[in-house]
Amino acid sequence: MSRRSDTLPVPSGQTRSQVLRDQSIYTQLLEVMWHLQQTMREHFVQLMSRQGLLQERRHIQAIREQEALLSRLLCQMINLLQSGATSGLEPQPLSSEDSRGDVRYGQGTQLAGQPDPVPQLSDCEATFVTRDLSNRGTDISALYWSSFQDYNAYQKDKYHKDKNPLGFINLGTSENKLCIDLMAERLQESDMNCVEEALLQYPDWRGQPFLREEVARFLTYYCRAPAPLDPENVVVLNGCCSVFSALAMVLCDPGEAFLVPTPFYGGFAFSSRLYAKVELIPVHLESKITAINTYPFQLTVDKLEEALFEARLKGKDIRGLVLTNPQNPLGDIYSPDSLMKYLEFAKRHDLHVIIDEIYMLSVFDESITFHSVLSMKSLPDRNRTHVVWGTSKDFGISGFRFGALYTHNKEVASVVSAFGYLHSISGITQHKLCQLLRNTEWIDKVYLPTNRFRLREAHKYVTAKLKALEIPFHNRSSGLYVWINLKKYLDPCTFEEEQLLYRRFLDHKLLLSCGKAYMCKEPGWFCLIFADELPRLKLAMRRFCDVLEEQKQDLIVKQLEDAMRE
Amino acid sequence: MFALPQKNFRAPTTCLGPTCTQDMDRSHGDDLEGECSRKLDQKLPGVGDPVMLSSDTSYLSSRGRMIKWFWDLAEEGYRTYHMDEYDEDKNPSGIINLGTSENKLCFDLLSRRLSQSDMQWVEPSLLQYPDWRGHLFLREEVAKFLTFYCKSPVPLRPENVVVLNGGASLFSALATVLCEVGEAFLIPTPYYGAITQHVCLYGNVRLAYVYLDSEGVRVKGLILINPQNPLGDVYSTEELQEYLVFAKRHKLHVIVDEVYMLSVFEESVGYHSVLSLERLPDPQRTHVMWATSKDFGMSGLRFATLYTENKDVATAVASLCRYHGLSGLVQYQMAQLLRDRDWINQVYLPENHARLKAAHTYVSEELRALGIPFLSRGAGFFIWVDLRKYLPKGTFEEEMLLWRRFLDNKVLLSFGKAFECKEPGWFRFVFSDQAHRLRLGMQRVRQVLTGKSQVAEDPHPSQTQKPSDQCSSAELLKLCFSPGPPSPIKQN
């Protein structure tokens, strides 16, 4: 039943071959370390017994040999560690036999021959220098594959009702799959297909003027801006992560940081780090209700002040604050009052505020009003307030690659557009987006009501299941996700156990996101994306229940064993 | 509009890259990168006096200010053309753009093809998060396409293909994953100057023009453009082989940009893709680029592809693709287009080549009539023209002034300095434009060269006041950044 009891402290979700490879790297490492220890010991013995040696020259020779061997062993270790770190999905050319052979060879030469330390050293160096990637290239690859390997596994083995009924169901990636039918239909209408000369030629890198005008109109209307928004303040790029990456580049220097209340969508951490080398400093929110925490994960100005103070104490240069509204993964919507307080806090400290409102039209309880930051009569610091929106979530077209920046700061708008040619959108796509956004009648009368209804139904279905399982969750009515608490299935309640549970979901071909990925301080939280078609959602929830049942059985067995031991 | 260039500053002699990195140690690491930018901040006001950099009120980081400074220079030229673009009916006295390398000859064919019903396909997977390397169906099609048109001896493999939103993104990604901050690629000059920006913006990588160890910079690779831009040269297999062997000897990566490979319009010219070689000297360090911008005249479509046998490089570039992705629907259209071998071979290529050849012939004859020497090649969209005889002193300042005179007479060209050409006086004429525009453009060129232009011989007073050595880099940047802006699209 449980695969966890099988072997080693290796997460059980990995494939067998990977486990084996990890194992072999692990043993290789141990082996190399052992040799290293041995050699060092001998090295010291020789150094200590220096006076006892008759021939000084031979002694020096021996020490050189030892040093050469030491450095080679170190090199091998680093190589092994690197191959382990970057191995991700694809097997590395480095073969375990080879390196192990090398170690033995090294040991042998030390006894028999007289190896020249210089060529050996350069051999080792050569393995680094001739690596095809730059160091940062290696880092980027490693970071990417560690963050997205499960997503990539899903891409290769997607669930399909008939063709692949045993494939992965993804409740971990925030995508709205509920209205694909409406979108597909809309996108096939005749106004969508336009091929004009200007669409095929080099564009205005800020985005085609017609699209920026439409985005300004769209945001004026749906954000209820008190005055018409200006197309000149709009920059259009291929996705919100590109917007975020460009903003991080132009607002921060490498090593500087943004504050961000957590739990928080981890993709942004990735975006700020990858190119821009900007750090995100968490403002940890807590689930427990206390005198100052009137509801779970409440964001207060005091917490912001405290986090800022602490970060500055540690010598961090904080340049801004990142907010998501509606919040991802909590689904919280900030009231105009609290929003104002956060903005005033930022102004007090000369911080930029990047507000991601990418879920603004995914509020599915009509009694709740969303207040965009663009709806405010006056912004405390308009030149430092930057709004991000895209169609990926609200229109469920993440494959379109569209993200927009709205900022009153002309300087920022102009310099972000310098990144336009690296993050540009096809002219043909820009036309489609423009047509989509301008048809407010279809959006208001057809798309939004249907989308809200379907989101509500899916949410109702999932939360009913959660209630039946007595799983606590953050009950909100916006976004595509529920933030759920699986602490009771973890014993002890640690991030390692959280990871193991995550792996167990994966073993059952269910992809979820765990709290750690959202930089949550408390282990045991998961984010579940419910915006999927009902048949898939049903099957996913069945797998979900199975996993938790299995986990519960394990816990019982474990507790019994513990009791027996006592 | 010209506020910046008129400030009395000395711009760095090359582009963003060298300036950012001149203080860099060769060591690696993130904090060093930070240090570099900080140094840069302190340094630049000393180097010159760019307004933005000294301003305390700026909301930007120091690298942001740096980027803005260069971008504004670029925007200056961009706007000049953008605000006064030629239109036959609406603005007949507007500027004709013979400076941006775009093929505007075959829009009719393309629009017809792209409007066919197979192009309008929409399915759920196209609207959702993709495989960031590019949809598999597209990568398969690209592999087949390149196998066929590059005459590869073996079938190329889809897993070696990575698809991105344009050649600029691809240069940027390759620079990032192959080089550390401050390292360099070697590039033969004159070359397409925009690459300087592409490798620098995110990657902070510079270009070295001649020597392997120029200025103590570590060279990581070599960039070859084949057919060459701006010369239009096509490398023979022997030459290609020689360059690749050279690179192998020095353990250099080679990025071969073959973005004009199907724009060889002279049948006598035999084009050989690097992918057609029986054996690559160093396949793990050879990376090929291709895109639809030039060969299919769709620079606005934003589609480029990398082909490399090096899995690490492909993977690393794919790791960045999240930021350089293109719409699923466009990916589908590209696959349809590349698959349609009949249309490409029987309709598009013959027609495109015939039109390129006609336009090329027209401009060459015009030049001959003026007694102007030029390099006559059968590939690309441009002619490399020798206007040295119009520069009495043969300096880059005069080159600049001549370029200004062309612009004042409403024709935009690219000058040699923008391609890091060593000799002053060379210009690039893009000929792949509609006949009526081309004719008017050449007429305006002739007016300037024969001294019959409507504008005064003397350049603009404000420009004469410029210190001579400042404009080179300002204008260089202008050209680096200046693509042809679009005409506003009529909404219906």
Side-chain angles (χ1 to χ4, degrees):
Chain A
M1 178 192 66
S2 156
R3 273 179 241 181
R4 197 157 61 109
S5 51
D6 278 9
T7 48
L8 277 172
V10 181
S12 52
Q14 287 166 328
T15 61
R16 191 133 301 264
S17 71
Q18 198 179 345
V19 172
L20 284 175
R21 212 182 53 243
D22 284 354
Q23 244 175 307
S24 79
I25 287 173
Y26 186 56
T27 44
Q28 281 175 56
L29 256 179
L30 281 180
E31 207 169 316
V32 176
M33 276 170 75
W34 181 79
H35 284 306
L36 201 67
Q37 205 184 356
Q38 288 289 100
T39 319
M40 278 171 82
R41 193 173 299 145
E42 279 166 48
H43 189 55
F44 281 116
V45 168
Q46 292 220 9
L47 279 173
M48 302 279 277
S49 60
R50 184 183 185 139
Q51 286 150 336
L53 274 171
L54 293 173
Q55 282 179 302
E56 192 71 7
R57 269 184 66 199
R58 197 199 278 170
H59 168 72
I60 290 169
Q61 180 68 28
I63 285 179
R64 280 179 68 202
E65 280 172 28
Q66 295 276 0
E67 278 172 355
L69 188 71
L70 264 177
S71 50
R72 213 177 56 176
L73 285 169
L74 268 171
C75 281
Q76 275 172 356
M77 241 178 83
I78 292 164
N79 268 337
L80 278 171
L81 281 172
Q82 281 188 338
S83 72
T86 55
S87 61
L89 284 175
E90 294 169 24
Q92 294 292 302
L94 170 118
S95 114
S96 51
E97 281 77 17
D98 279 354
S99 21
R100 246 188 286 188
D102 259 10
V103 175
R104 292 205 191 93
Y105 174 75
Q107 195 77 350
T109 42
Q110 189 225 347
L111 298 171
Q114 287 198 336
D116 186 0
V118 183
Q120 277 188 1
L121 262 178
S122 59
D123 271 357
C124 293
E125 276 171 358
T127 56
F128 296 119
V129 176
T130 60
R131 287 181 63 87
D132 290 321
L133 298 180
S134 60
N135 291 334
R136 59 178 172 178
T138 312
D139 289 348
I140 287 166
S141 256
L143 179 66
Y144 179 78
W145 293 103
S146 64
S147 316
F148 292 94
Q149 68 168 311
D150 299 328
Y151 172 75
N152 286 311
Y154 153 76
Q155 280 290 346
K156 290 197 180 94
D157 184 19
K158 270 189 200 178
Y159 168 82
H160 187 278
K161 187 161 77 276
D162 311 313
K163 285 183 232 157
N164 191 15
L166 296 178
F168 279 103
I169 299 188
N170 184 354
L171 301 189
T173 304
S174 186
E175 274 191 292
N176 183 350
K177 294 172 185 161
L178 290 170
C179 289
I180 285 266
D181 55 334
L182 294 182
M183 285 309 303
E185 209 177 294
R186 176 73 190 89
L187 289 169
Q188 271 161 330
E189 277 172 32
S190 58
D191 64 326
M192 285 290 166
N193 300 312
C194 166
V195 183
E196 276 186 66
E197 201 162 359
L199 296 179
L200 296 188
Q201 292 173 4
Y202 281 121
D204 181 337
W205 295 116
R206 290 177 295 170
Q208 296 272 13
F210 65 81
L211 178 58
R212 284 187 290 111
E213 276 162 30
E214 211 47 66
V215 170
R217 261 200 294 271
F218 181 90
L219 292 179
T220 307
Y221 178 69
Y222 285 101
C223 298
R224 289 184 216 90
L229 300 175
D230 183 356
E232 293 302 302
N233 296 344
V234 176
V235 183
V236 159
L237 301 178
N238 67 339
C240 290
C241 51
S242 298
V243 175
F244 200 78
S245 172
L247 276 177
M249 283 293 287
V250 306
L251 299 181
C252 299
D253 283 318
E256 293 180 341
F258 287 126
L259 280 185
V260 52
T262 63
F264 171 82
Y265 169 58
F268 272 175
F270 193 77
S271 299
S272 59
R273 211 172 126 190
L274 202 61
Y275 274 129
K277 307 263 183 263
V278 168
E279 210 182 323
L280 294 187
I281 306 275
V283 182
H284 286 301
L285 307 183
E286 281 162 36
S287 63
K288 227 163 79 200
I289 295 176
T290 58
I292 42 165
N293 219 29
T294 55
Y295 58 89
F297 300 107
Q298 186 182 4
L299 175 63
T300 61
V301 170
D302 284 347
K303 286 179 197 164
L304 288 171
E305 293 279 5
E306 198 184 326
L308 180 68
F309 180 73
E310 273 173 24
R312 289 197 166 152
L313 213 58
K314 285 182 196 148
K316 293 282 173 201
D317 250 325
I318 306 287
R319 294 278 292 172
L321 167 67
V322 183
L323 296 174
T324 319
N325 188 28
Q327 220 277 358
N328 174 9
L330 301 172
D332 283 341
I333 290 176
Y334 298 132
S335 71
D337 279 355
S338 19
L339 202 53
M340 187 52 105
K341 279 185 197 136
Y342 308 147
L343 294 177
E344 275 163 357
F345 154 82
K347 184 189 165 76
R348 224 163 24 243
H349 297 283
D350 286 340
L351 299 181
H352 288 273
V353 185
I354 299 175
I355 302 194
D356 176 15
E357 298 191 346
I358 196 164
Y359 293 99
M360 73 168 180
L361 298 180
S362 303
V363 183
F364 49 87
D365 181 344
E366 268 140 47
S367 65
I368 296 173
T369 316
F370 167 77
H371 297 276
S372 162
V373 76
L374 292 174
S375 71
M376 295 181 146
K377 285 255 152 36
S378 73
L379 286 170
D381 193 353
R382 30 190 280 141
N383 278 318
R384 286 203 183 85
T385 311
H386 317 292
V387 186
V388 180
W389 182 75
T391 47
S392 303
K393 315 298 175 185
D394 285 342
F395 287 95
I397 44 172
S398 37
F400 243 71
R401 313 313 305 133
F402 166 78
L405 166 70
Y406 192 88
T407 173
H408 292 288
N409 190 324
K410 303 272 186 232
E411 199 182 14
V412 172
S414 130
V415 68
V416 165
S417 52
F419 289 84
Y421 64 87
L422 298 181
H423 301 298
S424 55
I425 313 175
S426 170
I428 290 179
T429 308
Q430 295 199 40
H431 172 81
K432 289 185 206 263
L433 285 162
C434 175
Q435 293 303 105
L436 179 74
L437 298 182
R438 75 186 322 186
N439 193 345
T440 43
E441 190 172 318
W442 177 80
I443 297 175
D444 281 339
K445 297 218 169 98
V446 182
Y447 181 75
L448 284 182
T450 319
N451 188 38
R452 277 197 211 106
F453 175 77
R454 292 181 185 175
L455 282 173
R456 202 159 47 229
E457 290 301 302
H459 182 259
K460 211 188 285 171
Y461 173 78
V462 168
T463 48
K465 284 271 163 198
L466 293 173
K467 279 181 195 147
L469 288 163
E470 293 175 351
I471 293 172
F473 61 93
H474 208 65
N475 198 357
R476 293 291 183 271
S477 304
S478 60
L480 316 174
Y481 33 74
V482 219
W483 184 241
I484 62 176
N485 186 342
L486 297 181
K487 272 180 197 170
K488 66 171 179 179
Y489 294 96
L490 305 184
D491 182 27
C493 188
T494 60
F495 282 116
E496 291 74 50
E497 289 294 319
E498 177 183 290
Q499 180 67 16
L500 287 176
L501 180 56
Y502 166 79
R503 288 276 155 209
R504 181 166 261 178
F505 283 124
L506 219 54
D507 284 347
H508 284 72
K509 296 293 179 77
L510 183 62
L511 192 58
L512 289 182
S513 307
C514 51
K516 180 107 179 137
Y518 287 82
M519 292 155 64
C520 186
K521 202 175 116 187
E522 305 165 16
W525 290 88
F526 281 78
C527 183
L528 193 151
I529 314 294
F530 60 80
D532 209 338
E533 285 164 4
L534 202 57
R536 260 200 306 254
L537 200 56
K538 275 187 176 157
L539 182 61
M541 289 313 284
R542 199 174 314 141
R543 291 179 185 179
F544 179 77
C545 294
D546 289 348
V547 171
L548 292 182
E549 187 52 36
E550 210 180 278
Q551 182 85 358
K552 208 156 87 188
Q553 294 302 329
D554 271 12
L555 281 187
I556 293 169
V557 172
K558 196 174 166 194
Q559 277 157 8
L560 273 176
E561 280 172 1
D562 286 351
M564 300 262 281
R565 219 169 287 141
E566 280 160 22
Chain B
M1 202 167 73
F2 296 114
L4 255 179
Q6 276 166 13
K7 282 275 160 191
N8 182 21
F9 69 88
R10 277 164 144 272
T13 46
T14 32
C15 285
L16 191 48
T19 328
C20 298
T21 52
Q22 57 196 0
D23 280 335
M24 274 298 296
D25 277 356
R26 230 182 284 161
S27 28
H28 321 181
D30 305 349
D31 33 8
L32 244 167
E33 193 178 342
E35 204 178 292
C36 164
S37 307
R38 249 164 263 135
K39 262 185 207 162
L40 186 158
D41 189 25
Q42 293 148 10
K43 215 174 140 72
L44 258 159
V47 174
D49 182 28
V51 203
M52 254 86 60
L53 293 174
S54 53
S55 114
D56 291 328
T57 57
S58 176
Y59 294 95
L60 304 176
S61 62
S62 44
R63 70 175 161 196
R65 291 198 292 275
M66 187 71 202
I67 292 164
K68 179 173 164 49
W69 179 56
F70 279 101
W71 183 246
D72 283 357
L73 292 178
E75 283 274 282
E76 180 239 312
Y78 191 80
R79 278 183 217 139
T80 314
Y81 169 61
H82 194 40
M83 292 187 319
D84 188 19
E85 200 180 335
Y86 170 82
D87 185 288
E88 204 176 356
D89 310 316
K90 283 181 238 153
N91 189 15
S93 64
I95 298 171
I96 298 258
N97 184 355
L98 303 185
T100 306
S101 181
E102 279 189 292
N103 184 350
K104 295 175 183 163
L105 291 170
C106 288
F107 173 72
D108 54 336
L109 301 178
L110 284 162
S111 91
R112 228 174 293 145
R113 182 64 191 89
L114 290 173
S115 307
Q116 278 173 24
S117 59
D118 65 325
M119 289 289 173
Q120 322 305 349
W121 182 247
V122 180
E123 64 171 29
S125 71
L126 297 178
L127 301 182
Q128 292 169 1
Y129 281 123
D131 179 340
W132 292 109
R133 283 170 183 244
H135 281 287
L136 183 62
F137 63 80
L138 176 58
R139 286 187 288 118
E140 279 169 355
E141 223 39 73
V142 168
K144 276 187 225 154
F145 179 88
L146 293 179
T147 308
F148 182 78
Y149 287 100
C150 297
K151 302 191 187 66
S152 169
V154 291
L156 301 175
R157 298 148 61 100
E159 61 269 32
N160 297 344
V161 173
V162 184
V163 168
L164 293 91
N165 67 338
S169 304
L170 188 43
F171 267 120
S172 168
L174 280 174
T176 304
V177 305
L178 296 178
C179 301
E180 309 299 342
V181 168
E183 288 182 340
F185 286 122
L186 199 63
I187 189 162
T189 62
Y191 73 100
Y192 173 55
I195 297 173
T196 314
Q197 264 63 43
H198 301 162
V199 298
C200 186
L201 198 56
Y202 273 132
N204 232 329
V205 166
R206 54 187 292 187
L207 297 176
Y209 302 131
V210 200
Y211 310 106
L212 253 182
D213 270 316
S214 55
E215 303 156 57
V217 167
R218 193 156 112 174
V219 172
K220 258 303 183 40
L222 166 69
I223 296 175
L224 294 176
I225 310 174
N226 185 27
Q228 218 272 1
N229 175 4
L231 302 175
D233 279 343
V234 170
Y235 298 133
S236 70
T237 23
E238 292 74 32
E239 282 169 323
L240 213 48
Q241 192 77 36
E242 218 174 299
Y243 305 148
L244 294 176
V245 169
F246 154 81
K248 184 189 166 83
R249 206 160 49 232
H250 295 283
K251 294 192 173 140
L252 297 179
H253 288 272
V254 186
I255 299 175
V256 190
D257 179 356
E258 300 194 343
V259 77
Y260 292 99
M261 74 168 180
L262 298 181
S263 303
V264 182
F265 51 88
E266 205 66 72
E267 270 152 43
S268 57
V269 178
Y271 174 73
H272 300 278
S273 162
V274 76
L275 292 172
S276 72
L277 297 178
E278 279 300 325
R279 262 193 75 243
L280 286 173
D282 195 354
Q284 288 294 312
R285 288 205 188 82
T286 310
H287 318 294
V288 186
M289 285 175 67
W290 184 74
T292 49
S293 316
K294 311 297 177 187
D295 284 343
F296 284 95
M298 303 191 292
S299 33
L301 203 97
R302 316 309 301 140
F303 166 76
T305 173
L306 165 71
Y307 191 87
T308 176
E309 288 182 31
N310 188 318
K311 299 272 184 253
D312 287 345
V313 172
T315 303
V317 169
S319 309
L320 291 169
C321 279
R322 213 176 146 72
Y323 301 89
H324 307 294
L326 64 161
S327 163
L329 296 180
V330 174
Q331 294 198 36
Y332 183 82
Q333 293 181 324
M334 284 305 93
Q336 289 302 106
L337 186 79
L338 299 183
R339 171 183 299 150
D340 194 350
R341 223 50 74 63
D342 283 348
W343 178 79
I344 297 175
N345 288 336
Q346 278 144 41
V347 182
Y348 181 74
L349 285 183
E351 192 58 40
N352 187 33
H353 289 168
R355 293 181 190 181
L356 282 173
K357 200 166 165 174
H360 179 262
T361 309
Y362 169 73
V363 174
S364 328
E365 272 161 17
E366 284 288 302
L367 291 170
R368 257 184 228 116
L370 285 163
I372 294 171
F374 59 92
L375 293 185
S376 183
R377 298 289 191 272
F381 303 159
F382 27 73
I383 296 178
W384 191 237
V385 178
D386 180 1
L387 297 183
R388 281 180 294 181
K389 66 174 177 184
Y390 296 93
L391 312 183
K393 280 179 278 173
T395 61
F396 282 116
E397 291 81 71
E398 283 179 332
E399 177 181 284
M400 201 55 235
L401 290 177
L402 180 55
W403 178 84
R404 273 277 167 214
R405 263 202 337 257
F406 284 126
L407 192 62
D408 288 345
N409 202 37
K410 302 296 176 79
V411 59
L412 180 68
L413 295 174
S414 312
F415 52 85
K417 186 79 185 128
F419 301 86
E420 284 302 325
C421 186
K422 250 163 87 178
E423 305 165 354
W426 290 88
F427 283 75
R428 188 184 77 171
F429 284 50
V430 173
F431 58 79
S432 50
D433 204 347
Q434 298 289 337
H436 65 280
R437 278 195 295 254
L438 204 54
R439 225 171 297 135
L440 191 57
M442 287 311 288
Q443 189 188 324
R444 291 175 181 179
V445 167
R446 205 180 319 121
Q447 284 165 350
V448 171
L449 294 180
T450 55
K452 286 180 193 134
S453 61
Q454 277 107 22
V455 288
E457 276 297 300
D458 277 290
H460 221 261
S462 69
Q463 283 134 24
T464 29
Q465 286 159 15
K466 283 186 186 178
S468 54
D469 56 346
Q470 76 169 45
C471 37
S472 66
S473 102
E475 304 307 336
L476 166 72
L477 270 145
K478 173 208 317 287
L479 276 158
C480 290
F481 275 121
S482 71
S487 56
I489 289 200
K490 282 161 251 126
Q491 299 294 333
N492 34 6

